[in-house]
């Protein structure tokens, strides 16, 4: 897939074996680590305010494997609603996209770009193949019926973790890759809700892959906070399965992060996405 996207070089790194998951490719959290670093560099260079990758929409195109060198090209863009983003294009060979993420800017970008003497941003519509596709640009509000969903087995607690000091960046902001690591951990539980358990996948030589995801940090947790992630489905059709993650304080219930994932099954031999078998179904009571 070729998408001609101009941009400034903002990150270069080589994929390490320990960054790869059970599918033997770069795990989603480490894509977002790279995007966060690219976004921080771009903001710092041009005087843009706000933390990097606290609200983002990401699409995946090609796998990255151990020893691949990834280069990120960053370009400011704006959508039809007037929202501005840094579009990070993580390339396989300096041109072919592996993954593209829209990193939401936090203030009026036209003003910021003028102050920074920055070139004018480009319309996102010029790069239609790089923008949102299977997931809408807007974010769902937090679920208020978590207890009911858990009681009826239409949701699951898919990750619990203890926030440490190094989960935050130099400014005390929750690092994007730490939030996304919860999403990565929660993928198995989300698929198990429709019947694709670990044993079911292994017996069929299938893996779970993310095609698209979006997330929003509501707040940064303090070190010592115990987080729990609630995962629940909302669509299953054709070759894709869509589900939500909600990360909250396991004690107080305060919501820290929200996200949606568009996922699929991949044949681990052919490395191709396959249709979802009819035996996989949404839990009773889930409608879309």
């Amino acid at each position: 897939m070729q998408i001609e996207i101009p941009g400034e070089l903002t990150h270069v790194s080589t994929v390490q074996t320990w960054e790869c998951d059970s599918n033997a490719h770069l795990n989603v959290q480490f894509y977002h680590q790279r995007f966060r670093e690219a976004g921080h560099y771009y903001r710092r260079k041009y005087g843009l305010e706000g933390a990097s990758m606290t609200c983002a929409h990401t699409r995946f195109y090609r796998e990255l494997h151990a020893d691949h060198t990834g280069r990120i090209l960053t370009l400011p863009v704006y959508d039809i609603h007037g929202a501005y983003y840094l579009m990070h294009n993580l390339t396989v060979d300096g041109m072919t996209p592996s993954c593209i993420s829209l990193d939401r800017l936090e203030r009026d970008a036209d003003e910021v770009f003028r102050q920074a003497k920055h070139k004018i941003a480009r319309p996102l519509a010029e790069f239609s193949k790089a923008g949102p596709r299977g997931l809408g640009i807007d974010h769902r509000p937090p679920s208020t019926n978590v207890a009911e969903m858990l009681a009826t087995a239409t949701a699951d607690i898919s990750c619990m973790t203890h926030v440490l000091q190094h989960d935050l960046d130099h400014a005390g902001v929750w690092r994007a890759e730490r939030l996304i690591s919860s999403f990565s951990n929660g993928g198995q539980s989300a698929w198990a809700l429709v019947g694709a358990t670990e044993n079911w996948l292994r017996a069929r030589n299938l893996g779970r892959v993310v095609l698209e995801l979006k997330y929003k940090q509501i707040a940064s947790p303090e070190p010592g906070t115990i987080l729990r992630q609630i995962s629940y489905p909302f669509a299953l059709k054709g070759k894709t399965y869509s589900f939500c993650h909600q990360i909250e304080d396991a004690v107080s219930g305060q919501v820290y992060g929200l996200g949606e994932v568009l996922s699929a099954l991949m044949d681990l031999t052919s490395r191709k996405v396959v249709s979802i078998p009819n035996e996989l179904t949404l839990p009773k009571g889930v409608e879309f």
Side-chain angles (χ1 to χ4, degrees):
M1 179 182 182
Q2 295 290 337
I3 303 176
E4 295 296 332
I5 298 179
E8 180 174 345
L9 182 67
T10 52
H11 181 90
V12 181
S13 61
T14 301
V15 176
Q16 304 299 311
T17 302
W18 58 266
E19 295 179 304
C20 297
D21 56 26
S22 58
N23 292 328
H25 61 205
L26 185 65
N27 186 267
V28 292
Q29 64 182 298
F30 297 112
Y31 278 95
H32 287 81
Q33 176 185 344
R34 287 161 168 79
F35 291 142
R36 178 181 60 79
E37 293 179 3
H40 177 65
Y41 167 78
Y42 200 95
R43 284 170 170 81
R44 185 157 187 169
K45 181 174 180 179
Y46 292 105
L48 305 180
E49 294 185 357
S52 177
M53 293 295 288
T54 59
C55 181
H57 197 124
T58 306
R59 285 182 61 184
F60 298 83
Y61 302 96
R62 293 169 60 97
E63 297 176 277
L64 281 180
H65 301 283
D67 288 338
H68 274 159
T69 297
R71 293 176 172 84
I72 295 179
L73 302 175
T74 297
L75 177 74
V77 297
Y78 59 90
D79 66 18
I80 60 174
H81 304 294
Y84 284 78
Y85 307 85
L86 297 181
M87 183 166 64
H88 303 302
N89 175 21
L90 177 55
T91 67
V92 179
D93 51 13
M95 182 173 64
T96 306
S98 168
C99 184
I100 296 175
S101 190
L102 297 176
D103 174 7
R104 184 74 161 88
L105 291 171
E106 296 183 9
R107 58 175 291 190
D108 185 86
D110 266 347
E111 178 185 352
V112 174
F113 289 163
R114 284 196 298 270
Q115 292 175 354
K117 298 181 180 179
H118 193 281
K119 60 186 178 183
I120 297 175
R122 301 273 291 274
L124 178 59
E126 291 184 8
F127 312 100
S128 58
K129 291 184 179 180
R133 181 182 180 185
L135 298 173
I137 195 67
D138 294 328
H139 291 267
R140 294 169 180 257
S143 175
T144 57
N145 63 334
V146 167
E148 179 183 347
M149 290 193 297
L150 291 173
T152 57
T154 56
D156 194 16
I157 298 174
S158 59
C159 185
M160 292 189 71
T161 186
H162 172 202
V163 179
L164 300 176
Q165 188 67 52
H166 69 250
D167 293 325
L168 311 179
D169 68 9
H170 62 284
V173 178
W174 198 13
R175 292 191 290 142
E177 62 268 29
R178 298 307 301 145
L179 182 153
I180 297 298
S181 73
S182 290
F183 285 16
S184 180
N185 278 298
Q188 180 60 71
S189 294
W191 273 97
L193 285 168
V194 298
T197 63
E198 178 184 354
N199 289 336
W200 186 94
L201 292 167
R202 187 179 294 113
R204 292 160 179 78
N205 193 39
L206 296 175
R208 300 167 283 107
V209 294
V210 176
L211 304 179
E212 186 172 355
L213 69 79
K214 63 180 181 180
Y215 67 90
K216 180 179 182 179
Q217 288 189 25
I218 307 300
S220 292
E222 294 290 335
T225 304
I226 306 300
L227 299 178
R228 74 170 186 172
Q229 177 175 270
I230 312 300
S231 301
Y232 56 95
F234 65 89
L236 180 70
K237 56 184 177 180
K239 291 186 176 182
T240 62
Y241 171 41
S242 303
F243 47 89
C244 298
H245 295 305
Q246 179 167 310
I247 303 175
E248 58 187 30
D249 189 309
V251 177
S252 71
Q254 178 183 349
V255 176
Y256 287 104
L258 300 168
E260 296 178 27
V261 178
L262 182 71
S263 187
L265 296 176
M266 179 179 71
D267 184 294
L268 294 177
T269 299
S270 68
R271 313 302 288 188
K272 301 293 186 181
V273 169
V274 300
S275 296
I276 294 176
N278 292 332
E279 63 191 281
L280 300 184
T281 58
L282 291 172
K284 291 181 180 180
V286 176
E287 299 180 356
F288 64 92

